[in-house]
Amino acid sequence: MRLDNEQESQNIEDRRGSRVNMGLAGGGIGTLAIVLIAMFFGIDPSAILQGGGSIESRVPEQAQSEQQSGAPDEGREFVSRVLGSNERVWREIFQKAGREYREPKLVLFTGQVKSACGFASAAAGPFYCGNDEKVYIDLAFYRELRQRFKAPGDFAQAYVVAHEVGHHVQNQLGIMSKVQARQQRAGERDANALSVRLELQADCLAGIWANVANRDRKILESGDVEEGLNAAAMIGDDTLQKRSQGYVVPEGFTHGSSQQRVRWFRTGLETGDLKKCDTFSERGVL
Ligand SMILES: [Zn+2]
């Protein structure tokens, strides 16, 4: 990936190294780890805190925070340029549609963090909270992505940020609140299916970012597309379930299968066309 032509974002909130009092959260870190891994690339941890569900088998060990002593802060710079690139692309897309794009903040944290959606542990992976319009990421997750999820590469890392920004776009377009309202009236199975459609759309929106950024600034290098698609495959629900419990329960999907995630990320990436990201009007198998 080439990001030297992209400007760093001014919307990074660096909370690394600050302590969070988890005592108030109720349930403690164990519960939160359970809750949060389920929200892999998730949206709102509080939604699942109420929902329950049998997801214990997916609990990873507490993600260790990476120390950044002395060395140049490459992690921060990378994320900041990816976010800057997303801001540029979405500002332009919104402008063309006669809307104004409100830039989200991106919070860097280590270990645990407090968001307007509740407390979160790094074990959860990155997430977006619609209540404060912030993306949260512990950069140690990138090591997890490389090692545990077998998804190496800088474009895979950029996709993670772009997916979360995709949720922010959904939030601004009112899609997120509509889906959440429908989920509250639906049974667990339907609520999960809606969650899958929301997540796949965020994947598609991440693809849109990459398409437009590459068109304008030639960010993609050879091997990048493969890295991105591999990452989408490695974090599919079926692949994660197989790795953690040895079998697949499609009713329990909340983010989509590997095949679905690859398909929708690719759709955005290849077309750059927002209209192609309508994951909600497709019937049956997406
Ligand atoms: Zn997501």
Side-chain angles (χ1 to χ4, degrees), residues 1 219-227:
M1 254 188 111
I219 61 163
L220 295 177
E221 295 176 307
S222 125
D224 281 341
V225 169
E226 291 77 8
E227 276 171 21

Side-chain angles (χ1 to χ4, degrees), residues 196 200 232-233 235-239 253 255-262:
V196 167
L200 293 175
I235 54 174
D237 284 325
D238 51 343
T239 304
F253 287 2
H255 287 67
S257 69
S258 293
Q259 199 189 8
Q260 289 171 325
R261 297 199 76 162
V262 167

Side-chain angles (χ1 to χ4, degrees), residues 41-42 163 167 199 255:
F41 284 28
H163 171 99
H167 284 311
E199 292 298 330
H255 287 67

Side-chain angles (χ1 to χ4, degrees), residues 23-281:
L24 300 170
I29 288 170
T31 313
L32 285 164
I34 291 165
V35 164
L36 288 160
I37 192 60
M39 299 304 289
F40 201 95
F41 284 28
I43 316 162
D44 172 4
S46 66
I48 264 231
L49 277 168
Q50 293 137 21
S54 54
I55 44 180
E56 285 81 353
S57 53
R58 279 208 223 153
V59 182
E61 285 158 36
Q62 193 79 10
Q64 299 265 311
S65 300
E66 240 155 56
Q67 289 297 320
Q68 7 237 307
S69 50
D73 204 342
E74 285 172 9
R76 177 184 166 138
E77 194 195 322
F78 173 79
V79 166
S80 175
R81 282 189 197 276
V82 172
L83 186 64
S85 176
N86 270 274
E87 286 164 358
R88 192 176 54 72
V89 165
W90 287 113
R91 209 182 301 127
E92 182 195 306
I93 293 175
F94 271 60
Q95 228 162 38
K96 278 185 186 156
R99 286 168 173 263
E100 201 187 327
Y101 180 64
R102 246 184 357 259
E103 295 170 354
K105 300 271 185 220
L106 186 147
V107 179
L108 292 173
F109 71 98
T110 43
Q112 295 91 31
V113 72
K114 187 184 175 197
S115 78
C117 297
F119 286 90
S121 151
F127 67 97
Y128 171 73
C129 172
N131 297 343
D132 55 19
E133 303 199 343
K134 292 178 182 178
V135 170
Y136 293 82
I137 184 167
D138 181 333
L139 293 176
F141 176 75
Y142 283 153
R143 196 180 51 214
E144 295 275 293
L145 194 65
R146 246 182 349 259
Q147 295 173 356
R148 180 196 294 271
F149 299 107
K150 310 270 179 275
D154 53 0
F155 187 57
Q157 298 182 349
Y159 156 59
V160 171
V161 173
H163 171 99
E164 299 307 338
V165 173
H167 284 311
H168 177 68
V169 170
Q170 291 174 318
N171 189 19
Q172 280 205 48
L173 295 178
I175 298 169
M176 190 177 283
S177 57
K178 269 187 205 147
V179 168
Q180 282 169 351
R182 271 170 68 186
Q183 280 178 316
Q184 270 158 18
R185 296 192 302 267
E188 190 182 347
R189 197 188 170 113
D190 289 344
N192 283 349
L194 283 166
S195 164
V196 167
R197 287 175 190 269
L198 197 66
E199 292 298 330
L200 293 175
Q201 187 174 64
D203 284 337
C204 190
L205 297 176
I208 299 266
W209 158 72
N211 177 292
V212 176
N214 191 51
R215 188 194 63 200
D216 297 346
R217 305 269 162 103
K218 295 274 165 278
I219 61 163
L220 295 177
E221 295 176 307
S222 125
D224 281 341
V225 169
E226 291 77 8
E227 276 171 21
L229 295 176
N230 174 61
M234 288 309 191
I235 54 174
D237 284 325
D238 51 343
T239 304
L240 293 178
Q241 284 182 352
K242 247 182 265 170
R243 286 162 60 96
S244 65
Q245 65 195 21
Y247 55 93
V248 176
V249 186
E251 295 76 25
F253 287 2
T254 51
H255 287 67
S257 69
S258 293
Q259 199 189 8
Q260 289 171 325
R261 297 199 76 162
V262 167
R263 174 185 158 191
W264 286 101
F265 182 50
R266 189 198 287 273
T267 297
L269 189 63
E270 288 177 355
T271 67
D273 181 359
L274 212 51
K275 291 192 289 291
K276 297 278 193 313
C277 290
D278 185 1
T279 54
F280 290 93
S281 53

